[in-house]
Amino acid sequence: MAEKRVMLTEEGYKKLQEKLDYLKSVRRIEVSERLKAAIALGDLSENSEYDDAKNEQAFLEGEILDLEAKIRNSDIIQGGASSDTVQMGSTVVVKDVEFDEQETYTLVGSAEADPTEFKISNESPVGAAIIGKKVGDRVDVHAPAGIIQYEVVEIK
């Protein structure tokens, strides 16, 4: 089965690459040193330091494999070039019709989505609803709190 493609902006791709480089060049060495120190303590059968270090090593290697797969299967999206429709990489201003409140989101792939930075995934309820829409279009978003109606106000 083919691995799922990962949509990334150039910035997101660089961040994943930097994290991978850090994990391989710094964290691997730190964990390896911790493992060596734990082994030096002796009897491994009752050595919790050794068990913790082995668990950390396994977690780290899993994270490295995950990042390598994301990078290998990534498609770089170009920032929402001048377009009159919402697309991957677009920064979009939407208005909650009921409460007349505006939010600005950047539409990115799920691997780099970060609600604290107002980067939402194209797979999220809001992202999926607004992709392909134009200024003035209204969409219904099915959220846990119910249906929220948004209007696309601006596409940057």
Side-chain angles (χ1 to χ4, degrees):
M1 183 173 117
E3 291 189 64
K4 179 180 174 189
R5 300 302 298 169
V6 178
M7 304 294 287
L8 294 170
T9 62
E10 286 185 40
E11 176 188 351
Y13 180 85
K14 287 177 186 173
K15 282 184 179 179
L16 286 184
Q17 189 64 53
E18 288 169 4
K19 184 175 181 181
L20 178 62
D21 292 344
Y22 170 76
L23 292 179
K24 283 180 157 183
S25 64
V26 177
R27 288 293 298 142
R28 245 187 196 160
I29 293 169
E30 291 172 354
V31 171
S32 174
E33 292 299 321
R34 187 170 167 218
L35 197 54
K36 285 179 191 174
I39 290 171
L41 295 175
D43 186 9
L44 299 182
S45 65
E46 295 181 17
N47 186 336
S48 65
E49 294 287 329
Y50 175 77
D51 290 339
D52 288 345
K54 285 298 284 182
N55 288 337
E56 185 177 3
Q57 182 184 44
F59 179 79
L60 175 65
E61 293 304 322
E63 193 172 6
I64 287 171
L65 288 174
D66 183 53
L67 287 172
E68 287 175 337
K70 284 180 181 174
I71 290 169
R72 182 177 54 253
N73 294 303
S74 65
D75 290 327
I76 306 300
I77 54 177
Q78 301 305 314
S82 59
S83 174
D84 60 348
T85 60
V86 178
Q87 57 186 328
M88 295 294 292
S90 294
T91 298
V92 184
V93 179
V94 294
K95 179 176 75 172
D96 181 323
V97 175
E98 181 181 352
F99 295 105
D100 197 33
E101 295 175 348
Q102 290 188 357
E103 291 288 342
T104 302
Y105 297 112
T106 301
L107 200 59
V108 296
S110 59
E112 64 181 302
D114 184 354
T116 63
E117 293 183 11
F118 299 98
K119 293 181 177 181
I120 61 170
S121 164
N122 61 314
E123 298 172 12
S124 70
V126 174
I130 65 174
I131 200 158
K133 302 300 182 205
K134 297 180 180 202
V135 171
D137 286 353
R138 288 188 176 196
V139 295
D140 291 330
V141 176
H142 297 273
I147 296 175
I148 303 170
Q149 189 174 66
Y150 287 108
E151 179 180 338
V152 178
V153 177
E154 182 181 359
I155 302 169
K156 303 177 188 178

